[in-house]
Amino acid sequence: MVRNTGTVSRGIRCPIIKENDNLVDIVVDSVINATKSDNFELHDRDVVGITESIVARSQGNYASVDAIAKDIHNKYQDATIGVIFPIISRNRFAICLKGIARGAKKIVLMLSYPSDEVGNALISLDMVDEANVDPYTDVLTEEKYRELFGYPKHEFTNVDYIEYYKDLIKSENCEVEVIFANNAVKILDYTDCVLCCDIHSRKRTKRILKKHDARIVYGLDDILTSSVDGSGFNELYGLLGSNKSTEEMVKLFPRNCKEFVLEVQKQLLDKTGKHLEVMVYGDGAFKDPQGKIWELADPVVSPGFTDGLIGTPNELKLKYLADNDFKDLKADALKEAIIEKIKTKDNDLKGNMASQGTTPRQLTDLIGSLCDLTSGSGDKGTPVVLVQGYFDNYTN
């Protein structure tokens, strides 16, 4: 029988996950129970995605604000710290900033403008243009910023993040000065001790600062890379990928994800006879057209995945074939010609015009984005996602 569906993404409901829960068993049982309750079958190369949040929670990978403060003070002592290029987020960065301020005596907070690295806007580009300011070269003091732009609030949260971050720093008995710039080197006019808080550009930022003789340079990925007084940690990403848990606690990005996904894959194979791919996913990599926010605030979309998810899609563009190679064919003749073309396609279509316009992104980024959109970040209760048919094509 002809199958008339392609890729299907299903949110899988699970129990509420707590520290020390056996997450492998919970994921495997939840997927199998879903097949029974909703009457569908698993297939080889189906993909099970598990959100990073429940992996970290089951691992108990948490750290206190005091642990952050101690690591900061150990690295910077009493030096004035230039905290540069943080994202604008109460959930992602504010709790980290609280710990940074608790471990410091003075912070020079350098915010990128008109928006942060992931697109959260302090002000609009139109406002920058109207003020005749060049964000690539101009450094603004807080006083100048207020003179030019006033006190705008974030479009979605209605928060003035400049005041919010300042008040948070002051509440930790830490002195603060705020400036606005997009050139990392500009912080060296204020201090030679810098904490780089950008995510995807962090390696370049640190390299540039060291080239210009900054004395102390760390990134968020260098904070809590090992345990502080028994805290959680992440040896690869430090504070990157962390989320606020409580007013005094952060949940860190999960650890040992490769081992976890391999064990889930093994148990699914043992219990179902099917070879599924498994991945841990965080933020998807996509941009909101209204708010202009690029969702990827995690250091990677997937911190761990099975080997079948390595690589990029190798697909032909059906509309290209229909409009070019087989433009004179119709109906069944066109269908059969395209099916044959797919069956005989090269294993590597890079550079082939018939593949142009397909999505040359990593499979984990594509599927992780699909999982993130499916599970959402609210009360759906589906921290596990089952993606079926992703590796199918028109011939299946």
Side-chain angles (χ1 to χ4, degrees):
M1 180 181 293
V2 174
R3 178 155 55 87
N4 291 308
T5 57
T7 301
V8 175
S9 179
R10 301 175 187 267
I12 305 296
R13 288 184 176 158
C14 299
I16 302 300
I17 307 301
K18 303 294 284 186
E19 185 175 349
N20 296 322
D21 283 349
N22 188 327
L23 189 59
V24 172
D25 286 350
I26 290 172
V27 169
V28 171
D29 290 345
S30 296
V31 170
I32 292 173
N33 289 339
T35 67
K36 296 174 181 176
S37 66
D38 287 14
N39 194 30
F40 64 89
E41 296 181 355
L42 296 176
H43 307 96
D44 289 334
R45 299 214 76 190
D46 286 351
V47 181
V48 174
I50 303 102
T51 184
E52 59 82 19
S53 176
I54 63 169
V55 180
R57 194 182 308 146
S58 69
Q59 293 173 344
N61 203 18
Y62 293 85
S64 68
V65 170
D66 282 339
I68 297 172
K70 186 171 184 177
D71 203 7
I72 289 291
H73 191 263
N74 287 342
K75 287 179 167 64
Y76 293 93
Q77 297 300 310
D78 292 329
T80 295
I81 305 175
V83 175
I84 71 171
F85 302 152
I87 64 171
I88 304 302
S89 172
R90 294 168 296 174
N91 175 48
R92 288 287 191 167
F93 184 69
I95 190 72
C96 297
L97 182 59
K98 189 175 185 178
I100 296 164
R102 190 173 294 181
K105 287 192 172 182
K106 180 178 179 179
I107 285 174
V108 179
L109 181 65
M110 190 170 92
L111 300 172
S112 51
Y113 75 99
S115 62
D116 68 11
E117 179 186 9
V118 296
N120 281 296
L122 289 173
I123 50 178
S124 69
L125 274 172
D126 289 335
M127 293 170 71
V128 172
D129 293 341
E130 290 167 6
N132 198 28
V133 170
D134 185 346
Y136 297 102
T137 59
D138 292 347
V139 180
L140 306 178
T141 63
E142 184 184 359
E143 181 181 16
K144 186 62 176 179
Y145 176 92
R146 293 303 193 187
E147 176 189 326
L148 291 171
F149 306 117
Y151 292 80
K153 295 182 178 180
H154 190 276
E155 176 184 6
F156 296 144
T157 64
N158 200 36
V159 172
D160 180 338
Y161 279 97
I162 300 164
E163 285 299 312
Y164 179 66
Y165 279 180
K166 275 184 63 181
D167 290 345
L168 190 154
I169 294 169
K170 289 178 181 178
S171 72
E172 295 297 331
N173 298 313
C174 179
E175 187 180 348
V176 59
E177 181 177 359
V178 181
I179 61 174
F180 303 82
N182 293 303
N183 181 348
V185 176
K186 297 299 183 181
I187 194 63
L188 299 180
D189 293 336
Y190 298 81
T191 178
D192 60 359
C193 302
V194 188
L195 177 64
C196 305
C197 299
D198 44 346
I199 305 165
H200 308 292
S201 56
R202 64 188 184 276
K203 292 180 181 179
R204 177 175 182 267
T205 301
K206 287 191 275 189
R207 173 175 56 78
I208 289 171
L209 287 168
K210 291 174 182 178
K211 180 180 177 182
H212 285 80
D213 299 323
R215 182 165 62 91
I216 301 175
V217 179
Y218 292 105
L220 287 180
D221 56 330
D222 300 309
I223 309 301
L224 288 186
T225 55
S226 59
S227 180
V228 174
D229 297 335
S231 74
F233 64 97
N234 191 299
E235 59 271 82
L236 297 178
Y237 301 115
L239 281 177
L240 290 181
S242 63
N243 292 83
K244 179 178 180 179
S245 175
T246 71
E247 295 300 326
E248 287 289 322
M249 195 75 65
V250 294
K251 178 195 64 62
L252 301 171
F253 218 40
R255 304 175 58 233
N256 304 320
C257 291
K258 184 71 172 185
E259 294 87 340
F260 170 73
V261 297
L262 288 174
E263 184 58 29
V264 173
Q265 183 183 56
K266 179 181 181 300
Q267 285 206 24
L268 282 168
L269 179 61
D270 290 345
K271 292 186 176 183
T272 70
K274 303 298 181 181
H275 184 89
L276 279 71
E277 304 298 343
V278 184
M279 66 183 292
V280 177
Y281 68 92
D283 278 346
F286 48 84
K287 186 172 182 177
D288 169 51
Q290 178 180 339
K292 310 299 187 293
I293 299 169
W294 184 40
E295 287 291 321
L296 187 54
D298 286 325
V300 291
V301 173
S302 177
F305 48 89
T306 51
D307 289 350
L309 298 176
I310 295 172
T312 60
N314 188 56
E315 300 174 345
L316 293 168
K317 194 80 169 179
L318 295 191
K319 66 181 182 182
Y320 180 88
L321 296 177
D323 291 344
N324 291 272
D325 295 34
F326 307 122
K327 62 182 179 181
D328 296 326
L329 300 179
K330 295 181 179 180
D332 287 346
L334 175 60
K335 178 180 178 180
E336 292 304 319
I338 287 179
I339 287 174
E340 183 61 27
K341 188 76 171 180
I342 294 171
K343 286 181 176 179
T344 59
K345 68 182 178 183
D346 293 336
N347 290 329
D348 185 358
L349 292 168
K350 189 179 296 183
N352 187 319
M353 184 55 70
S355 71
Q356 301 303 302
T358 57
T359 310
R361 289 167 55 190
Q362 296 297 313
L363 289 167
T364 50
D365 294 343
L366 290 163
I367 300 171
S369 298
L370 174 59
C371 289
D372 189 29
L373 287 166
T374 301
S375 62
S377 58
D379 57 8
K380 288 184 172 60
T382 55
V384 173
V385 174
L386 175 67
V387 179
Q388 298 189 287
Y390 190 85
F391 295 101
D392 287 356
N393 58 44
Y394 192 57
T395 69
N396 297 108

